[in-house]
Amino acid sequence: MIPDKAPGDDVLHASGDLKKEAHIPSFEKYKELYIKSVESPGEFWGDVAKDFFWKTKYTGKFLDYNFDVTKGEIFVKCMEGATTNICYNVLDRNVYERKLGDKVAFYWEGNEPGDEKTVTYRELLQQVCKFANVLKSQGVKKGDRVSIYMPMVVELVVAMLACARIGAVHSIVFAGFSAESLCERIMDSQCCILITADGFYRGDKLINLKLIADEALQKCRDKSFTLDKCIMLKHLTKEEALSGSLSPPAKRACPDLQVPWNPEIDLCWHSLIGGASEECEPVWCDSEDPLFILYTSGSTGKPKGVLHTVSGYMLYTAATFKMVFDYHSDDVYWCTADIGWITGHSYITYGPLANGATSVLFEGLPTYPDVSRMWEIVDKYHISKFYTAPTAIRLLMKYGSEPVQKYKRTSLKILGTVGEPINPEAWQWYYNVVGEKKCPVVDTFWQTETGGHVMTPLPAATPMKPGSATFPFFGVVPAILNESGEELEGPSEGYLVFKQPWPGLMRTVYGNHERFETTYFKKFPGYYVTGDGCRRDKDGYYWITGRIDDMLNVSGHLLSTAEVESALVEHEAVAEAAVVGRPHPVKGESLYCFVTLNDGINYNQKLEAELKKQVREKIGAIATPDYIQNAPSLPKTRSGKIMRRVLRKIACNERDLGDVSTLADSSVIEQLFENRCCTAV
Ligand code: PRX
């Protein structure tokens, strides 16, 4: 399946210097280890596990699973019976065993240039222990769910690791989500406490996070769910932070911020942590105990609580971080993602810390205060490994090479991308302009569900093809299936599936195992179905072609069409809605919404603005519609199913509609073409 030799033509190779020091220095070495990883996973991952501390050893099989719904319940278990603690492994082990206490864990770089601070491994451990004691004093116990709704501050890492230390399950909600989305997630996972902050700036825009958090808690109460403890970090408010805080008010102080305060519910992070002890024995967890829940869009419209467990996730994020970024102890690494998404969980918090790495934690935007900000930060901290999203690359590409070339970038060694397919043009710009042809680009394909990279080049070993995620990571066995579920050989295109688990694969959908089985395992029994399409070329390289379900990828964030549609139809004027993706030069895809209004209602600009606001309030700013079209009727089959394929063509103004013989009323089509929106709302 993987070629014996790396193909020689039309590919790009890493430099000799990189190969000399690399963990995986050649394609042959990759292939040898890959075979070991799939034929003897226990042996391969057992070697990785040797680097970690285990309170007790595992008892059963190293990796046990069933992927076949026809043979019983789907499950994946890794190192069952072993006990450990991931917080201990990423902090105490680094401080005490590896003597990295004085090493910088994070350089925090605020939204405003010059707003910065440094946190060592020892300081991080102290803060985490203190906050773990705070959580315990508030009654949080092993297995309890804790909702975290915070900006990109070091305290977000402190909060998540404090949960992990006491065996509580964190459920982080990206700080761009709305009150409604936060409420839905708090209720679904039945969280007992919420941790938030007063507010933060995104560029020059103030986000009053506490106000949104309060609104979310009110919505929970309205639905008879009570969460009566909310810990708030002062990040922007003017008052002096109390002792023990990592976050002294600096340039970012915002005297105008109105922070509502309810003494019956609200607790101050600083007051609580100020008096907390720095001693906190970790709670030893079973390998398969839950570590966190992270919600991702689901095709029914209701987000799925993806559940990851302790040991498998720890091994997988540690190993992928080390090998995909070819991590060495003198690296300074920067991943620009938000911790509210899986990329931040795996490759800002757990993977880098498990390796004792020094990272940058960035609160701001790539374009604020100007479009050179990224490269300024690269030079400031001498970043060697840099990881970002294709949408950010495309955005910066628009401004040309001059803002990049203002900075030296001589420290850069490896560049990475994640989140969506990268178009070859953006890949080339990243490689040629940002990396000056010296840095391999690792195009990492993975998902919230996979825990870490699953299809990716290894920088010194895999010859690159711009736009291809190349080959599987260790332990991952991909296949391409046709519609009938037959495995395709050689060059082919179809559904991307995986044939066996790796340690980092999700274990269930929180509270709904049936949904887990249905979503990922029912369509093709015996396989994990990614929901992505994929092509394999003559050299065996894999090219991800994008989602083949009702999911859209806007700026690297997955959204389900059903989720946006249900937000639209909740408006009293809307009878029916259908949402499709339309290609967008920066965002990858944009949201094109067709709405059918109730009888007697006229479409106008005011209504359009209301609909847009409605979606922002229901889901968050990331789901704001780009186009809304009044559609008196929608193209449907005779059985009443909306033909989205046809709507996608209309959104793109493509007249070649393919087979429309199942269409109930073809006159609808012309009307829709006539009313197309040409400019974004
Ligand atoms: O469609 C694929 C796309 O993003 C989806 C996963 O989204 P999410 O769970 O939000 O996680 C994003 C960060 C890991 C995938 O199903 N995707 C992610 N990375 C790539 C990609 N598509 C193509 N190439 C990639 N490198």
Side-chain angles (χ1 to χ4, degrees):
M1 180 190 49
I2 293 169
D4 284 334
K5 275 186 68 183
D9 52 356
D10 77 342
V11 291
L12 291 153
H13 293 269
S15 74
D17 281 357
L18 196 82
K19 284 178 181 285
K20 261 188 250 151
E21 306 230 305
H23 298 299
I24 315 290
S26 65
F27 197 75
E28 289 65 35
K29 184 74 191 169
Y30 158 66
K31 175 110 188 175
E32 177 195 320
L33 279 175
Y34 178 78
I35 291 170
K36 176 175 168 183
S37 74
V38 295
E39 288 179 355
S40 323
E43 222 179 287
F44 181 89
W45 294 107
D47 285 344
V48 176
K50 281 184 194 142
D51 279 346
F52 293 93
F53 175 79
W54 305 94
K55 187 77 177 169
T56 58
K57 302 246 175 304
Y58 71 98
T59 44
K61 264 176 140 175
F62 194 92
L63 199 59
D64 197 7
Y65 73 101
N66 172 38
F67 261 20
D68 191 341
V69 274
T70 62
K71 296 195 177 136
E73 190 168 296
I74 301 293
F75 71 90
V76 177
K77 289 176 181 164
C78 180
M79 297 184 80
E80 212 191 3
T83 47
T84 189
N85 182 286
I86 193 168
C87 175
Y88 180 91
N89 272 295
V90 304
L91 294 180
D92 309 54
R93 184 180 58 101
N94 281 326
V95 172
Y96 299 116
E97 283 174 37
R98 304 177 70 204
K99 310 288 177 223
L100 298 178
D102 295 325
K103 188 171 182 188
V104 173
F106 290 110
Y107 290 112
W108 180 77
E109 173 81 12
N111 180 62
E112 288 299 324
D115 197 5
E116 61 194 28
K117 80 186 153 210
T118 298
V119 185
T120 64
Y121 273 87
R122 183 173 296 105
E123 287 165 337
L124 191 59
L125 174 60
Q126 281 164 356
Q127 293 299 319
V128 167
C129 287
K130 278 170 160 251
F131 197 68
N133 284 323
V134 166
L135 290 176
K136 284 202 282 188
S137 73
Q138 295 304 320
V140 180
K141 304 176 303 298
K142 181 168 186 270
D144 287 348
R145 276 81 54 217
V146 174
S147 179
I148 304 178
Y149 186 58
M150 293 176 89
M152 284 286 283
V153 290
V154 176
E155 289 84 348
L156 169 52
V157 179
V158 171
M160 66 200 291
L161 292 180
C163 289
R165 192 166 191 88
I166 63 170
V169 181
H170 57 74
S171 169
I172 302 181
V173 178
F174 170 58
F177 274 120
S178 65
E180 181 87 30
S181 295
L182 176 59
C183 158
E184 188 178 16
R185 286 157 174 76
I186 288 174
M187 287 182 56
D188 186 76
S189 49
Q190 307 266 298
C191 292
C192 63
I193 192 163
L194 171 65
I195 306 166
T196 189
D198 46 4
F200 65 103
Y201 279 101
R202 262 183 82 71
D204 49 18
K205 189 166 173 228
L206 175 65
I207 313 286
N208 194 330
L209 206 61
K210 177 62 165 51
L211 212 63
I212 308 171
D214 282 354
E215 207 184 313
L217 294 186
Q218 185 55 47
K219 283 179 190 289
C220 290
R221 281 190 288 277
D222 293 346
K223 294 176 188 167
S224 307
F225 179 83
T226 309
L227 182 158
D228 56 8
K229 285 192 172 128
C230 174
I231 300 179
M232 189 198 81
L233 174 88
K234 288 176 184 167
H235 179 53
L236 290 181
T237 33
K238 218 172 56 172
E239 296 149 77
E240 286 302 309
L242 299 177
S243 66
S245 162
L246 289 167
S247 193
K251 292 182 177 178
R252 60 186 179 277
C254 171
D256 299 334
L257 184 68
Q258 300 293 313
V259 181
W261 194 260
N262 176 351
E264 290 186 3
I265 295 176
D266 294 329
L267 298 155
C268 169
W269 172 291
H270 311 271
S271 318
L272 293 172
I273 210 169
S277 157
E278 283 176 13
E279 300 291 317
C280 180
E281 176 68 11
V283 170
W284 301 107
C285 299
D286 189 274
S287 284
E288 284 302 327
D289 279 342
L291 172 63
F292 67 83
I293 300 165
L294 183 59
Y295 285 85
T296 188
S297 295
S299 55
T300 59
K302 185 174 152 46
K304 302 177 288 242
V306 170
L307 185 106
H308 285 283
T309 52
V310 176
S311 298
Y313 180 79
M314 176 168 81
L315 298 183
Y316 202 68
T317 52
T320 45
F321 177 77
K322 178 174 168 184
M323 293 188 246
V324 174
F325 298 113
D326 193 37
Y327 171 71
H328 293 276
S329 59
D330 56 350
D331 276 329
V332 182
Y333 161 83
W334 181 21
C335 165
T336 68
D338 193 291
I339 293 178
W341 305 108
I342 191 67
T343 307
H345 280 60
S346 300
Y347 299 112
I348 296 180
T349 301
Y350 290 109
L353 293 180
N355 282 275
T358 295
S359 304
V360 166
L361 180 62
F362 179 47
E363 187 193 26
L365 292 177
T367 48
Y368 180 84
D370 60 51
V371 295
S372 283
R373 184 77 191 272
M374 302 267 233
W375 323 118
E376 182 208 329
I377 295 174
V378 165
D379 278 7
K380 177 173 173 183
Y381 297 104
H382 309 286
I383 305 292
S384 48
K385 312 287 162 77
F386 178 70
Y387 194 29
T388 196
T391 184
I393 299 168
R394 289 192 298 262
L395 174 71
L396 296 176
M397 229 172 106
K398 282 201 314 191
Y399 300 94
S401 51
E402 196 257 341
V404 185
Q405 285 160 351
K406 261 171 64 185
Y407 292 91
K408 293 208 223 45
R409 295 157 285 114
T410 44
S411 53
L412 287 174
K413 290 186 180 158
I414 291 168
L415 304 173
T417 75
V418 59
E420 56 182 308
I422 179 163
N423 45 314
E425 194 196 351
W427 194 102
Q428 293 288 1
W429 187 81
Y430 199 30
Y431 181 74
N432 293 329
V433 178
V434 177
E436 299 192 354
K437 302 188 179 169
K438 289 189 281 242
C439 308
V441 172
V442 286
D443 173 359
T444 62
F445 166 82
W446 59 295
Q447 308 175 302
T448 306
E449 294 87 338
T450 68
H453 311 139
V454 282
M455 303 293 294
T456 176
L458 296 177
T462 317
M464 298 164 282
K465 291 197 186 191
S468 165
T470 71
F471 298 107
F473 188 73
F474 301 117
V476 175
V477 185
I480 298 182
L481 304 186
N482 64 15
E483 191 60 50
S484 331
E486 289 151 357
E487 277 190 37
L488 303 174
E489 301 296 331
S492 45
E493 187 164 346
Y495 292 86
L496 176 66
V497 298
F498 296 117
K499 296 166 73 159
Q500 62 186 52
W502 54 93
L505 181 64
M506 73 184 287
R507 302 300 197 252
T508 190
V509 169
Y510 184 77
N512 196 345
H513 196 67
E514 202 186 325
R515 188 169 182 204
F516 171 62
E517 296 184 328
T518 312
T519 310
Y520 305 102
F521 296 94
K522 274 252 164 79
K523 188 170 173 72
F524 301 121
Y527 301 95
Y528 166 85
V529 180
T530 60
D532 282 288
C534 181
R535 179 169 69 78
R536 189 169 42 219
D537 71 15
K538 65 177 185 358
D539 299 320
Y541 278 65
Y542 289 82
W543 301 72
I544 311 296
T545 52
R547 301 292 307 188
I548 37 182
D549 50 13
D550 288 338
M551 224 70 92
L552 299 174
N553 194 322
V554 179
S555 298
H557 304 311
L558 278 193
L559 288 171
S560 83
T561 51
E563 206 175 350
V564 183
E565 285 159 7
S566 77
L568 287 166
V569 294
E570 274 184 45
H571 192 286
E572 57 188 11
V574 179
E576 195 168 25
V579 176
V580 296
R582 177 185 148 138
H584 186 279
V586 173
K587 298 202 267 187
E589 279 188 291
S590 55
L591 290 176
Y592 196 111
C593 311
F594 295 87
V595 291
T596 307
L597 302 181
N598 282 315
D599 273 355
I601 303 212
N602 286 326
Y603 193 80
N604 55 34
Q605 277 191 338
K606 182 167 164 279
L607 177 60
E608 189 165 278
E610 272 176 36
L611 293 177
K612 207 173 146 185
K613 184 160 162 268
Q614 167 101 1
V615 181
R616 287 175 75 104
E617 282 178 3
K618 289 274 162 203
I619 306 173
I622 46 165
T624 310
D626 297 272
Y627 304 86
I628 301 179
Q629 174 169 343
N630 179 19
S633 327
L634 291 167
K636 292 186 181 169
T637 59
R638 280 179 202 93
S639 58
K641 211 168 170 267
I642 297 174
M643 293 178 75
R644 289 165 195 287
R645 182 177 60 75
V646 171
L647 288 175
R648 270 191 287 274
K649 296 268 184 183
I650 295 169
C652 300
N653 204 16
E654 283 172 20
R655 293 270 169 176
D656 177 11
L657 299 181
D659 178 14
V660 285
S661 56
T662 53
L663 198 61
D665 174 6
S666 56
S667 68
V668 171
I669 303 288
E670 210 34 55
Q671 196 182 35
L672 287 172
F673 269 114
E674 267 168 35
N675 290 342
R676 274 188 76 254
C677 310
C678 297
T679 49
V681 291

